[in-house]
């Protein structure tokens, strides 16, 4: 467990004895962010769900929107497609509460979910929606994978180059093994 998560758990233990829902929300949202950064999908899902429920209790759409996206991504990682669909719908209903970068991330995560279901046409639409908002390496990574599946080397190279640009949002690009296999 990361030191950040240890401290967040300590804060969570202290907050359990208060009626301060904003404090709890902040601890839960910090928890899902830390868990996501540590690639702990189940912990991310648990914290995101608590943050989402607290956002509902506060009747705050903004505080429901962000954890809903993390819930969607977590369910996708856990390959729980019915739940992915449910929270994709929740995110779309709350899309106006995301900032531009977050909207792009939401659409990229939707693309990832559709890619995992091998629904490449819908995935492509979501990835294109994402890059239409902000230069997004995650979406370009997804587009690269789609074009590789379609045996379109030129488009794959084009998207791959865009994913690697220094100004692309996100720097974690790990598709060389797929690209090399092509």
């Amino acid at each position: 467990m990361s030191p950040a998560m240890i401290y967040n758990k300590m804060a969570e233990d202290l907050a359990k004895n208060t009626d301060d829902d904003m404090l709890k929300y902040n601890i839960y949202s910090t928890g899902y962010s830390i868990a996501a950064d540590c690639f702990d999908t189940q912990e991310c899902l648990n914290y995101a769900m608590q943050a989402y429920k607290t956002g509902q209790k506060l009747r705050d759409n903004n505080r429901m929107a962000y954890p809903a996206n993390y819930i969607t991504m977590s369910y996708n990682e856990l390959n729980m497609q019915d739940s992915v669909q449910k929270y994709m719908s929740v995110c779309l209903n709350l899309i106006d509460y995301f900032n531009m970068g977050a909207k792009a991330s939401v659409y990229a995560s939707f693309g990832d979910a559709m890619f995992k279901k091998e629904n490449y046409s819908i995935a492509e639409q979501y990835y294109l929606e994402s890059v239409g908002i902000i230069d997004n390496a995650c979406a370009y990574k997804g587009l690269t994978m789609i074009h590789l599946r379609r045996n379109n080397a030129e488009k794959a190279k084009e998207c791959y180059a865009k994913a690697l640009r220094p100004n692309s949002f996100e720097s974690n690009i790990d598709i060389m093994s797929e690209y090399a296999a092509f």
Side-chain angles (χ1 to χ4, degrees), residues 124 143-144 147-148 152-160 162:
E124 182 177 29
L143 288 168
T144 301
H147 293 303
L148 287 172
N152 187 339
E154 286 306 310
K155 283 295 251 180
K157 285 181 195 176
E158 179 185 319
C159 292
Y160 186 65
K162 289 178 180 179

Side-chain angles (χ1 to χ4, degrees), residues 15-171:
K16 285 180 182 175
N17 297 323
T18 83
D19 290 330
D20 189 343
D21 288 327
M22 283 302 298
L23 174 64
K24 290 177 184 177
Y25 175 84
N26 290 332
I27 291 167
Y28 299 148
S29 63
T30 300
Y32 70 70
S33 294
I34 294 168
D37 286 345
C38 294
F39 305 103
D40 186 342
T41 305
Q42 190 60 54
E43 191 77 0
C44 180
L45 177 60
N46 293 338
Y47 273 113
M49 196 62 79
Q50 289 177 313
Y52 179 77
K53 288 176 183 175
T54 305
Q56 283 179 314
K57 186 176 178 183
L58 293 167
R59 296 174 195 214
D60 187 328
N61 288 332
N62 191 45
R63 286 187 171 78
M64 290 166 48
Y66 288 89
N69 188 40
Y70 278 85
I71 292 168
T72 304
M73 292 186 295
S74 296
Y75 279 134
N76 193 45
E77 287 293 316
L78 296 169
N79 206 21
M80 299 173 71
Q81 293 304 313
D82 290 342
S83 296
V84 169
Q85 294 295 325
K86 175 183 176 182
Y87 282 95
M88 283 175 68
S89 177
V90 169
C91 286
L92 287 174
N93 287 333
L94 298 169
I95 199 72
D96 291 335
Y97 295 94
F98 291 100
N99 65 36
M100 281 184 18
K103 280 182 188 179
S105 177
V106 166
Y107 286 121
S109 68
F110 288 3
D112 291 346
M114 293 297 103
F115 184 87
K116 197 169 200 171
K117 290 179 72 171
E118 298 182 6
N119 192 336
Y120 301 132
S121 296
I122 301 292
E124 182 177 29
Q125 290 173 8
Y126 282 128
Y127 290 137
L128 291 172
E129 186 79 32
S130 178
V131 298
I133 296 169
I134 191 170
D135 205 20
N136 184 342
C138 277
Y140 284 124
K141 174 185 170 184
L143 288 168
T144 301
M145 299 296 287
I146 287 171
H147 293 303
L148 287 172
R149 295 289 189 284
R150 293 176 175 165
N151 295 319
N152 187 339
E154 286 306 310
K155 283 295 251 180
K157 285 181 195 176
E158 179 185 319
C159 292
Y160 186 65
K162 289 178 180 179
L164 294 175
R165 286 191 308 219
N167 62 339
S168 289
F169 179 71
E170 191 191 274
S171 60

